[in-house]
Amino acid sequence: MNVHVPDNARRDLALVGCPDCACRFETPNYRLGMQQRCPECEAAIKPKYVRRAPDAGYSLSYHTFLQLLTVRPYRDEIVPLIAAWFGYRTEYRGRSLIVSNAAGRTVDLEQMHEMIQTSPRWQELLYWKAGKFFR
């Protein structure tokens, strides 16, 4: 799959190519790595290439978000932050991460990531926390 940032990209957008029909469409950088539907053929695709557009602001890709939640020492700082924001509990079963809400229901990680990336305050805080690991 070819994924690149277009020359005339608006802030935080990447151009994604569908591997089934070669349709190209824009998607927010933070959604890279998350399952999406091709607007042309409606195939479920999951871009894995992560590259932010110039002047990307504070967005983090889904792939980076998962790293922050699962890899030590990142998770030791990020998980308490998520718990404070949402009241979620995290549990690791082997290499699997399970996040649950106060009622004990499993939380969809893609939805949680999207909630964070659509909140300027949470997005910026997570970005700065992540930045200290990835510099």
Side-chain angles (χ1 to χ4, degrees), residues 16 21 26 33 37 50 56 65 75 88 98 106 112 114 119 131:
V16 179
C21 72
E26 290 182 328
R37 289 259 173 224
V50 179
F65 180 65
R75 77 182 195 192
Y88 292 164
I98 290 124
T106 301
M112 180 173 63
E114 191 143 19
S119 164

Side-chain angles (χ1 to χ4, degrees), residues 75-91:
R75 77 182 195 192
D76 295 339
E77 285 204 36
I78 302 303
V79 168
L81 185 66
I82 301 296
W85 289 343
F86 300 109
Y88 292 164
R89 293 181 309 244
T90 56
E91 181 182 341

Side-chain angles (χ1 to χ4, degrees), residues 61-110:
S61 71
Y62 183 63
H63 174 76
T64 300
F65 180 65
L66 288 179
Q67 284 183 309
L68 292 171
L69 292 177
T70 57
V71 177
R72 282 197 171 123
Y74 316 147
R75 77 182 195 192
D76 295 339
E77 285 204 36
I78 302 303
V79 168
L81 185 66
I82 301 296
W85 289 343
F86 300 109
Y88 292 164
R89 293 181 309 244
T90 56
E91 181 182 341
Y92 298 90
R93 294 184 189 149
R95 296 178 63 139
S96 298
L97 167 69
I98 290 124
V99 179
S100 54
N101 62 19
R105 291 191 186 93
T106 301
V107 173
D108 182 292
L109 296 178
E110 288 185 0

Side-chain angles (χ1 to χ4, degrees), residues 1 6 8 11-12 14 20 23 39 43 46 48-49 51 55 64 68-69 72 78 80 85 88 96 104 115 117 128:
M1 172 185 306
N8 62 348
R11 184 179 172 105
D12 286 340
D20 292 348
C23 171
K46 206 168 196 176
K48 293 182 180 174
Y49 182 82
R51 179 174 165 194
D55 190 34
T64 300
L68 292 171
L69 292 177
R72 282 197 171 123
I78 302 303
W85 289 343
Y88 292 164
S96 298
M115 285 179 1
Q117 292 302 307
W128 288 111

